[in-house]
Amino acid sequence: MIQMNTYGWQGADAPARVTAVHRDRYTLICPQGQVFARLKTGVYYGRGEEFPTVGDFVRIQYEPVGDSLILQTLPRHSFFSRRNPTKGQGEQAIAANFDTVFVMSSLNHDLNPARLERYLTLAWQSGATPVVILTKADLVDDYTAQLHNVQNIAIGVDIVAVSARTGQGLELLAPYLQPRRTVVFLGSSGVGKSSLINALAGETLMDVQAIREDDSRGRHTTTHRQLFMLPGGAMVIDTPGMRELGMWDVSSGLGDAFADVEEVLTRPCKFGDCAHQSEPGCAIKAAIAGGELPEARWRTYCTLQQEAEYTENRGQFLRDKKQWHKSIAKWSKKMKQSGEIRK
């Protein structure tokens, strides 16, 4: 019998844990061992039960022969999702019940500050602790500048540079990889998620493809989300590289990822209803002009906030946008009539 507390379960009456998600089938680990399972249709399509994802603990009807049935998704202590890239499909669950998020970016050609800010926002929102992992350190002679750029973005977040090929920095990951703890790996295709998992496991758990010579990026390897147990007792969840990372619910994650921006927003502006656009006496404009707040970071904050608002209430967002355009048109017409704006 498998002790489910080794897989992070802390209560009695041990459930199963989802270790992989396929199209309409799940791989689970339960007290009886590894099993395959399907959803109980009446529960998940009739009662609106939360669909399970990798890392979820679930109640099952165990079947020694054939597929077991998943009856219930248990409450989560952390959860990562994004807006489904398929239009009209809403939210896409990525992983659940993890303690740390390894937000990964490679040091050679993949380091993209805007993308990193997106990952950090969703990582904070998940309820877990993000850590930035800068991979492929062996391919860069001096990454001081890249490290400095990441420090300006990942405020209050640990940053570790590693090389899966040489082993550089892997020992620094030990505090996050403790027994019964779960880490989810997030990053775009080719950042080295699978290579790092293999290096930490000391064996080949994931297939790794060669680096392309034209842009030094790896090809897409992982095709589905999967949970692995490392030799030391920690668990890792590998996820496919994401070409799109649309905001879903980031009501708290945005504030954590952009604490510097939100601190400036607490400062008084000349006008109480300042939109932080062209108004005089704007605290945001003053911070940007004084070099305290990079303009690019402010723009990213606004973009992500707008995406989140759009997702939260698409209809209201469109109505507000339409009203805003009407207000601008009325203001322009008024200014033209008064002669303050030349026709």
Side-chain angles (χ1 to χ4, degrees):
M1 296 288 287
I2 292 177
Q3 301 298 315
M4 291 305 296
N5 63 347
T6 63
Y7 278 85
W9 180 248
Q10 298 181 358
D13 189 19
R17 191 172 194 190
V18 179
T19 58
V21 175
H22 310 284
R23 291 180 65 90
D24 57 355
R25 205 164 179 235
Y26 298 79
T27 305
L28 312 177
I29 193 75
C30 66
Q32 292 82 5
Q34 179 175 289
V35 299
F36 293 100
R38 298 179 185 272
L39 301 177
K40 185 171 183 179
T41 305
V43 172
Y44 282 90
Y45 293 94
R47 304 179 197 169
E49 185 73 20
E50 290 283 352
F51 283 78
T53 188
V54 173
D56 266 321
F57 290 100
V58 294
R59 299 290 182 198
I60 66 169
Q61 177 181 313
Y62 173 70
E63 298 291 345
V65 179
D67 287 348
S68 297
L69 281 179
I70 300 176
L71 309 177
Q72 180 187 11
T73 304
L74 297 179
R76 301 154 168 160
H77 69 79
S78 61
F79 177 66
F80 178 85
S81 67
R82 64 169 175 170
R83 189 173 67 244
N84 197 313
T86 302
K87 188 176 181 180
Q89 295 299 309
E91 182 181 24
Q92 182 184 53
I94 303 299
N97 297 315
F98 44 87
D99 305 286
T100 307
V101 182
F102 279 2
V103 179
M104 300 178 63
S105 184
S106 64
L107 282 164
N108 52 346
H109 291 295
D110 181 70
L111 192 55
N112 183 315
R115 185 194 302 133
L116 188 58
E117 287 171 322
R118 283 177 174 268
Y119 275 112
L120 285 169
T121 299
L122 290 174
W124 279 118
Q125 181 69 26
S126 73
T129 302
V131 177
V132 174
I133 308 297
L134 300 177
T135 62
K136 305 181 184 180
D138 58 296
L139 300 181
V140 182
D141 294 330
D142 183 6
Y143 48 83
T144 304
Q146 294 98 312
L147 184 60
H148 180 71
N149 289 337
V150 173
Q151 289 171 337
N152 289 335
I153 294 171
I155 298 172
V157 175
D158 292 342
I159 304 168
V160 183
V162 303
S163 168
R165 188 176 69 85
T166 67
Q168 176 186 339
L170 296 189
E171 74 282 358
L172 300 176
L173 303 181
Y176 314 107
L177 298 170
Q178 297 298 310
R180 298 179 292 281
R181 308 285 284 181
T182 303
V183 178
V184 61
F185 285 47
L186 297 177
S188 57
S189 299
V191 298
K193 297 189 298 294
S194 298
S195 295
L196 181 57
I197 288 175
N198 290 341
L200 293 172
E203 60 178 305
T204 301
L205 296 178
M206 304 292 296
D207 291 334
V208 178
Q209 296 193 27
I211 298 293
R212 293 196 300 253
E213 293 182 0
D214 56 347
D215 59 6
S216 297
R217 293 184 63 186
R219 296 178 175 87
H220 179 75
T221 301
T222 305
T223 57
H224 61 275
R225 301 179 293 281
Q226 191 166 358
L227 181 148
F228 297 94
M229 175 76 77
L230 296 180
M235 289 154 285
V236 296
I237 297 176
D238 190 25
T239 61
M242 301 177 197
R243 294 182 179 87
E244 298 181 36
L245 194 64
M247 299 292 101
W248 188 249
D249 176 14
V250 291
S251 54
S252 63
L254 196 63
D256 291 323
F258 289 84
D260 55 333
V261 175
E262 298 216 336
E263 189 281 321
V264 177
L265 284 170
T266 63
R267 302 174 189 176
C269 296
K270 181 177 180 179
F271 300 105
D273 59 349
C274 183
H276 314 300
Q277 299 294 330
S278 58
E279 299 86 347
C282 172
I284 290 290
K285 287 175 59 180
I288 293 173
E292 180 183 359
L293 178 64
E295 185 174 3
R297 186 156 171 80
W298 166 246
R299 289 178 178 174
T300 300
Y301 174 86
C302 293
T303 298
L304 299 186
Q305 186 180 56
Q306 190 177 53
E307 284 187 30
E309 290 173 355
Y310 177 85
T311 302
E312 182 179 358
N313 191 331
R314 183 176 185 271
Q316 186 61 47
F317 176 88
L318 292 175
R319 287 191 293 272
D320 290 346
K321 184 177 181 180
K322 185 176 182 180
Q323 184 60 46
W324 182 78
H325 282 298
K326 284 183 177 180
S327 299
I328 292 297
K330 289 174 66 175
W331 175 85
S332 179
K333 183 178 180 180
K334 183 179 179 180
M335 292 297 101
K336 288 178 180 179
Q337 290 174 344
S338 66
E340 294 186 38
I341 296 180
R342 294 182 179 178
K343 295 182 180 180

